[in-house]
Amino acid sequence: MDVIFMGTPDYADVILKKLIADSDINVKAVYTQPDKPVGRKKILTPPPVKTTALEHNITVYQPEKLREESVVNELVQIACDYIIVAAYGQILPRAILDHAPCINLHASILPQYRGASPIQQTLLNGDKETGVTAILMEEGLDTGDIIKIEKITVPDAMMLEELFESLTEVAADLTLDIIKNFEVYKLIPQDDTHATHCKKITKADGLIAFDDAQTLFNKYRAFTPWPGIYLKTKLKLKKIELQEKESQNTPGEILAIDKESIVVGCAKGSIRIFRVQPESKKEMDVLAYINGKRLSVADHMS
């Protein structure tokens, strides 16, 4: 069975590796985003998918714009049974959608959380359940008919990286299932009246205030390790826990100090802070921070 694979980040890379490892599947080509500068030194770095493809002698294409006529013409010359798309980052034009069934693995229970950040949105909203949806793609953004959904539960304190890993494994297994049993599944149109959307995450999203402890903690879960969460003072909260959700407090007031952490009040609820990072300084124990600032119980962190 011949497939073209389209994807870019680690999520896509795990799925690609699963396809490569299956003896019934031949990955004929990989499409991914162009190499990008990474880190302070702006070192040009290939996407994980490209690295894996080259290790297995698979031809890699990295068009800036998939919709360009020359790119489309080149792709449709590659005979395949399916095109598998996972966090690729570009919309597929009609000519490619018509070339072979295009199957997208989206990390949400569609039509909920169409768009760029479904895993983060799951955590921001404190959802108890999420999943991966396999859809037959059309020209809209995550709007195609549903082939199959695999659901998982989300524990209350689950962090982004852990949820990401769980959904990646689900997506990899689901991909093989769909490819090998495609004709068995009945396509189900999405109900657009229940559709929600999520945007691309930016550094600015990490700004927090001591308003609601549950909301603050959910941002911590969703935005660790990037962009992280930070106060207006640029102080980053590197390790925290939800203390409780119901008390009423003066926002930012230090309520208690123990041997390894402090409890800080929110307008509703409170959080426990273990580690912080001041602007332009190294991460440190929160006790070292408040001692340096001469802060104690009843003083304010914000």
Side-chain angles (χ1 to χ4, degrees):
M1 189 179 305
D2 295 329
V3 304
I4 294 173
F5 184 81
M6 295 181 165
T8 300
D10 292 327
Y11 171 76
D13 190 44
V14 173
I15 298 172
L16 176 59
K17 287 175 179 175
K18 198 93 170 185
L19 293 173
I20 292 171
D22 194 294
S23 59
D24 294 330
I25 296 171
N26 174 36
V27 181
K28 296 188 69 176
V30 163
Y31 280 74
T32 189
Q33 297 281 52
D35 298 0
K36 292 185 177 180
V38 174
R40 292 183 179 179
K41 295 184 178 180
K42 302 297 181 181
I43 298 173
L44 199 61
T45 304
V49 162
K50 178 181 179 180
T51 301
T52 294
L54 294 179
E55 287 174 353
H56 292 85
N57 298 312
I58 300 170
T59 303
V60 176
Y61 299 88
Q62 295 177 276
E64 288 281 353
K65 295 182 179 180
L66 190 65
R67 290 181 174 273
E68 289 185 359
E69 185 177 354
S70 60
V71 174
V72 173
N73 290 340
E74 186 174 45
L75 186 149
V76 298
Q77 296 304 311
I78 305 170
C80 66
D81 298 295
Y82 297 99
I83 297 174
I84 304 300
V85 184
Y88 175 45
Q90 296 197 47
I91 300 295
L92 275 60
R94 170 51 59 187
I96 293 177
L97 294 171
D98 290 340
H99 179 54
C102 297
I103 300 167
N104 177 233
L105 287 306
H106 188 73
S108 77
I109 301 172
L110 289 173
Q112 187 180 49
Y113 306 152
R114 294 172 178 171
S117 56
I119 303 178
Q120 290 93 333
Q121 200 64 49
T122 293
L123 295 175
L124 288 172
N125 287 350
D127 295 343
K128 305 299 183 183
E129 181 181 65
T130 187
V132 177
T133 304
I135 62 171
L136 184 63
M137 297 178 70
E138 58 182 28
E139 290 182 277
L141 178 63
D142 302 323
T143 58
D145 289 349
I146 295 170
I147 305 170
K148 186 178 181 180
I149 299 175
E150 287 287 353
K151 298 179 180 180
I152 64 170
T153 57
V154 182
D156 290 343
M158 179 176 267
M159 300 293 289
L160 176 66
E161 290 184 322
E162 186 181 356
L163 180 55
F164 178 92
E165 290 175 5
S166 297
L167 289 172
T168 298
E169 290 301 322
V170 169
D173 291 337
L174 181 58
T175 303
L176 291 182
D177 178 10
I178 296 301
I179 290 177
K180 295 184 178 184
N181 301 290
F182 183 75
E183 301 299 333
V184 174
Y185 291 109
K186 180 181 179 181
L187 300 180
I188 303 172
Q190 294 188 42
D191 184 351
D192 291 340
T193 64
H194 289 91
T196 57
H197 297 79
C198 50
K199 64 181 184 67
K200 185 177 180 179
I201 302 300
T202 68
K203 188 174 182 179
D205 290 314
L207 178 64
I208 56 98
F210 294 108
D211 296 329
D212 181 85
Q214 182 70 70
T215 299
L216 193 162
F217 184 62
N218 285 346
K219 283 192 173 185
Y220 169 71
R221 296 166 66 205
F223 297 150
T224 301
W226 192 89
I229 59 169
Y230 57 91
L231 303 174
K232 287 183 178 180
T233 60
K234 306 298 184 182
L235 180 71
K236 295 180 180 179
L237 307 187
K238 301 295 288 188
K239 182 180 179 183
I240 71 172
E241 290 179 357
L242 178 65
Q243 179 73 4
E244 49 79 32
K245 301 184 289 185
E246 300 302 331
S247 66
Q248 295 183 355
N249 309 284
T250 301
E253 181 180 351
I254 298 174
L255 303 178
I257 301 173
D258 62 24
K259 292 182 179 180
E260 60 177 6
S261 64
I262 66 173
V263 177
V264 177
C266 299
K268 182 180 179 182
S270 58
I271 62 165
R272 184 175 292 275
I273 303 174
F274 295 86
R275 297 188 65 79
V276 298
Q277 184 178 6
E279 185 179 18
S280 302
K281 294 184 179 180
K282 293 183 178 180
E283 180 180 329
M284 64 177 65
D285 184 286
V286 71
L287 297 185
Y289 174 77
I290 64 169
N291 288 337
K293 293 288 186 178
R294 297 184 178 181
L295 298 175
S296 189
V297 173
D299 290 328
H300 288 76
M301 289 289 290
S302 55

